[in-house]
Amino acid sequence: MVTIFPICLLFTLNFIFYSTFYNTVNGIFCEELTEGITIKREEKTSHLHFYFHDVISGKKPSAVKIAGPPNSSTNGFGATTVIDDALTEGPEISSKLVGRAQGIYAIAAQEDLSLLMVMNFAFIEGTYNGSSISILGRNPVFNDVREMPIVGGSGVFRLARGYALAHTVRFDYKTGDATVEYHVYVSHYLATVMLICCFSCVSLVNYTIRNSYLLSSLSLSFLARMEFGWVFIGKIG
């Protein structure tokens, strides 16, 4: 008597798991998640208010120029700066840190002073700790209030959309340091995730080869069929 339960168990679990949770499209390059996860989405709009500190001067600047125009120009067209600027709760840089603005801005206009902003607001405080929102837009810095779109996010802000309003509250013409007030309006989702996993395994035991029939007669007994499942319900956001 030879028992092949371990082999049948592995085969059955492998078949059920992949057939239940994944629908393969174009080979292994693309897999579509189908019925394994059910998501109920509730949209929410959050208002975030903080201050952005762009520090160019000093021994440890948070904004560093990495490229510039080959020839001098009146407005520095082409100048590109990498930033890791502090985001604080109040207008003073010494106030409570709530996150960092990390990315790049570049002077992208020849006739005026408009920046191309490509940056993430990475938060470290409260509910939004570990989450971020992504900004990609035009920033005409001499305007009193500038609007830039939110194109995405991560963590709590996954699938985010919205806009950010920037207003310069302080600018030092000698050093180039600036403090900018931001009001951010971001729509995102509170998602209840229901993950239902069901594993079914059929054990094949008592696999007997009868020598008298010269392998022509096989007796397969289905002695046990076990089903096991669980439901995981969690909140995101």
Side-chain angles (χ1 to χ4, degrees):
M1 181 183 297
V2 180
T3 302
I4 60 170
F5 173 74
I7 297 175
C8 293
L9 176 61
L10 290 174
F11 176 82
T12 305
L13 288 176
N14 182 72
F15 174 78
I16 292 173
F17 180 80
Y18 284 102
S19 63
T20 302
F21 293 99
Y22 294 97
N23 220 355
T24 303
V25 180
N26 295 331
I28 62 173
F29 174 69
C30 177
E31 291 180 333
E32 291 183 357
L33 194 62
T34 54
E35 298 177 356
I37 297 180
T38 301
I39 301 178
K40 182 180 179 182
R41 292 175 179 169
E42 178 185 346
E43 190 170 17
K44 173 185 178 181
T45 299
S46 297
H47 172 219
L48 308 178
H49 177 235
F50 50 82
Y51 292 84
F52 167 106
H53 301 274
D54 196 48
V55 180
I56 297 175
S57 65
K59 295 181 179 179
K60 193 177 179 181
S62 61
V64 176
K65 183 178 177 181
I66 59 170
N71 301 313
S72 60
S73 59
T74 55
N75 68 346
F77 174 64
T80 304
T81 301
V82 172
I83 62 170
D84 183 19
D85 290 341
L87 303 177
T88 63
E89 199 170 59
E92 301 301 327
I93 196 169
S94 58
S95 62
K96 185 177 181 180
L97 185 71
V98 297
R100 312 289 303 187
Q102 298 169 332
I104 295 174
Y105 63 74
I107 300 177
Q110 297 186 63
E111 302 300 329
D112 58 13
L113 188 56
S114 292
L115 304 179
L116 169 65
M117 308 291 291
V118 183
M119 61 182 175
N120 294 314
F121 291 150
F123 300 106
I124 61 171
E125 179 63 25
T127 306
Y128 306 129
N129 182 23
S131 299
S132 66
I133 58 176
S134 299
I135 303 288
L136 174 62
R138 179 175 178 266
N139 182 4
V141 295
F142 287 144
N143 289 4
D144 184 42
V145 178
R146 292 88 68 189
E147 179 179 333
M148 289 167 281
I150 295 169
V151 296
S154 66
V156 173
F157 298 118
R158 189 178 296 119
L159 301 178
R161 55 192 175 84
Y163 61 96
L165 299 177
H167 166 67
T168 302
V169 295
R170 185 181 300 122
F171 180 72
D172 189 323
Y173 285 95
K174 292 182 179 179
T175 63
D177 296 350
T179 300
V180 181
E181 181 182 23
Y182 270 88
H183 285 274
V184 175
Y185 298 87
V186 54
S187 296
H188 53 105
Y189 292 100
L190 294 175
T192 301
V193 179
M194 180 176 291
L195 175 61
I196 304 176
C197 304
C198 292
F199 296 103
S200 298
C201 58
V202 178
S203 62
L204 298 178
V205 295
N206 197 23
Y207 183 7
T208 304
I209 302 176
R210 298 182 180 179
N211 293 328
S212 59
Y213 287 92
L214 300 176
L215 303 179
S216 62
S217 175
L218 301 178
S219 175
L220 301 178
S221 299
F222 292 86
L223 298 182
R225 187 176 189 276
M226 180 178 67
E227 293 186 354
F228 175 63
W230 71 84
V231 177
F232 168 77
I233 301 178
K235 271 274 189 180
I236 300 177

